[in-house]
Amino acid sequence: MKEVQLWKFVAQKINANQRVALMFVAESIGSSPGRQGHYMAVSEDASMYGTIGGGAMEYKQVEVCKKLLKTTTNTCTRQQLVHDKSDRSKWSGLSCSGEQTVLTFFLNREHKAFVEKIVWACTDEKDYHLVLAADNTLVVEEANGAMPKFEYTFSSIENWTYRFIINNQDRVYLIGGGHVGLALCRQLAWLNFKVVLIDNRADLPTEEYDEFISKKIITNYKKVANFVPSTKRDYIVIMSFSSALDTLILSQLIRKEACYIGMMASQVKVNRIRTILLEKGYSEADFERVKTPIGIPIKCKSPAEIAVSVAAEMIDIRNRIN
């Protein structure tokens, strides 16, 4: 889901003098279809954007919102939904087990400036947290790198807080623009990754990439480390056009904090680069961090297939750490 589109939807509705209900999944346990970070908007005219997990559970919650939007209530609510008939008072309508906590807030024209600020924050380079609290407040705060993507704290029904990074997109540093790189950018755009493309060729025709990337950097690969200030939430993908360049690039990035470092290479090339780096003083542990040959083994034959295999490997990492 493109979060900026959801907030533009909200802005459109409140500008038309409609009230909007926003439902946020603050916590999810077990086999819950609604995961922490999911959220959706329901407007007074019954149109919707986003999801809290779908199915009968979402339908029931949407219907509740529609009824509340016809009233004057502006007080937020918190619900524990259990996906199991054993607790009828909290039963969500699903039987897949698991639980999720849904917070519902109501916005109107008085929130116009607040919503405009969120639309702006969705496109800014910095990270921002949306903070929801039991006292019915919503606040936008600048986030620092040490803050988690999601944080839900519950002390009592009257005292809870949920914060999450707005437009939460994991950043990918893709080094090397080529046929596979273009296919991967296209794939990652669908999966809500933010891609920074780095290449050393000033004449590289990268216009095709512009639709799928957030930033393009042309630099000598000897300086590539200066442009990859990665954190534990970031991904590095190396796809240059030569073994020598891959060695140069990897030697600078192999000890970055990134949660994923992948390098496109044959097993022969991998072994050669590994030997060179070990001779330069890097350790086996350093090299073991690198996913290479890159991607999951699905007998790829085309750039598009390689892109799918790499994206799948990255999704696996993302879902394990989130």
Side-chain angles (χ1 to χ4, degrees):
M1 179 186 72
K2 295 289 185 181
E3 287 186 60
V4 67
Q5 297 302 325
L6 182 147
W7 289 103
K8 286 181 177 179
F9 167 87
V10 174
Q12 178 188 25
K13 297 302 179 182
I14 64 174
N15 286 337
N17 209 28
Q18 292 189 39
R19 296 199 326 130
V20 176
L22 283 167
M23 291 186 286
F24 302 85
V25 180
E27 183 179 45
S28 54
I29 301 170
S31 300
S32 174
R35 308 304 299 174
Q36 186 179 52
H38 286 182
Y39 63 109
M40 73 179 296
V42 181
S43 66
E44 224 174 311
D45 64 6
S47 53
M48 299 172 283
Y49 200 102
T51 184
I52 57 167
M57 173 272 302
E58 182 173 291
Y59 175 80
K60 287 176 67 174
Q61 297 307 307
V62 167
E63 291 304 302
V64 170
C65 285
K66 288 178 183 178
K67 291 178 182 178
L68 291 173
L69 286 168
K70 292 178 181 178
T71 71
T72 58
T73 184
N74 284 311
T75 305
C76 65
T77 64
R78 172 189 169 276
Q79 283 184 286
Q80 274 186 289
L81 302 179
V82 178
H83 309 315
D84 190 315
K85 289 183 180 180
S86 61
D87 189 343
R88 288 281 181 174
S89 65
K90 297 180 180 179
W91 185 42
S92 67
L94 300 177
S95 301
C96 53
S97 76
E99 301 177 17
Q100 65 189 76
T101 299
V102 176
L103 312 176
T104 304
F105 283 74
F106 297 90
L107 305 185
N108 54 41
R109 273 190 73 87
E110 294 179 5
H111 297 92
K112 184 176 186 295
F114 170 76
V115 174
E116 288 175 348
K117 184 176 182 179
I118 295 183
V119 171
W120 168 82
C122 284
T123 59
D124 192 62
E125 281 296 308
K126 295 179 182 177
D127 284 338
Y128 296 87
H129 271 128
L130 175 57
V131 186
L132 319 174
D135 63 1
N136 209 40
T137 58
L138 300 94
V139 180
V140 178
E141 297 177 349
E142 187 172 331
N144 64 51
M147 288 181 169
K149 295 179 185 178
F150 309 106
E151 185 179 70
Y152 175 61
T153 56
F154 177 82
S155 300
S156 68
I157 294 175
E158 295 80 22
N159 186 11
W160 49 258
T161 303
Y162 174 51
R163 66 169 63 232
F164 66 95
I165 294 178
I166 300 167
N167 200 31
N168 174 38
Q169 292 179 289
D170 294 301
R171 187 168 46 219
V172 180
Y173 293 97
L174 173 60
I175 300 100
H179 295 302
V180 177
L182 177 58
L184 182 59
C185 284
R186 187 179 287 118
Q187 186 71 49
L188 294 178
W190 280 96
L191 298 168
N192 204 34
F193 285 94
K194 181 187 292 185
V195 181
V196 177
L197 174 66
I198 303 175
D199 203 276
N200 68 339
R201 296 165 287 181
D203 59 347
L204 183 71
T206 58
E207 292 80 6
E208 290 180 277
Y209 286 84
D210 292 343
E211 180 183 352
F212 310 111
I213 64 176
S214 66
K215 192 174 183 180
K216 178 169 52 183
I217 298 169
I218 305 300
T219 185
N220 188 310
Y221 280 148
K222 291 180 180 179
K223 302 176 182 179
V224 70
N226 297 333
F227 300 96
V228 187
S230 66
T231 70
K232 292 178 181 178
R233 298 205 306 262
D234 295 328
Y235 299 71
I236 295 171
V237 179
I238 301 170
M239 292 184 169
S240 83
F241 58 83
S242 80
S243 178
L245 287 175
D246 281 346
T247 305
L248 172 65
I249 295 164
L250 184 60
S251 66
Q252 296 174 70
L253 305 181
I254 196 168
R255 288 176 177 166
K256 289 284 184 178
E257 272 197 309
C259 63
Y260 175 91
I261 301 176
M263 181 177 69
M264 187 168 68
S266 66
Q267 190 59 57
V268 172
K269 180 177 172 181
V270 169
N271 293 340
R272 182 167 61 247
I273 292 176
R274 175 178 169 278
T275 298
I276 293 171
L277 292 183
L278 291 178
E279 289 174 352
K280 287 180 177 290
Y282 293 94
S283 68
E284 291 279 7
D286 289 331
F287 203 81
E288 283 176 5
R289 295 187 61 217
V290 184
K291 302 288 186 179
T292 188
I294 199 169
I296 62 172
I298 54 174
K299 299 185 184 297
C300 302
K301 295 182 179 180
S302 69
E305 290 176 346
I306 296 172
V308 169
S309 75
V310 176
E313 191 168 62
M314 293 168 67
I315 290 169
D316 181 55
I317 298 294
R318 181 168 69 178
N319 288 344
R320 288 175 187 273
I321 63 178
N322 285 353

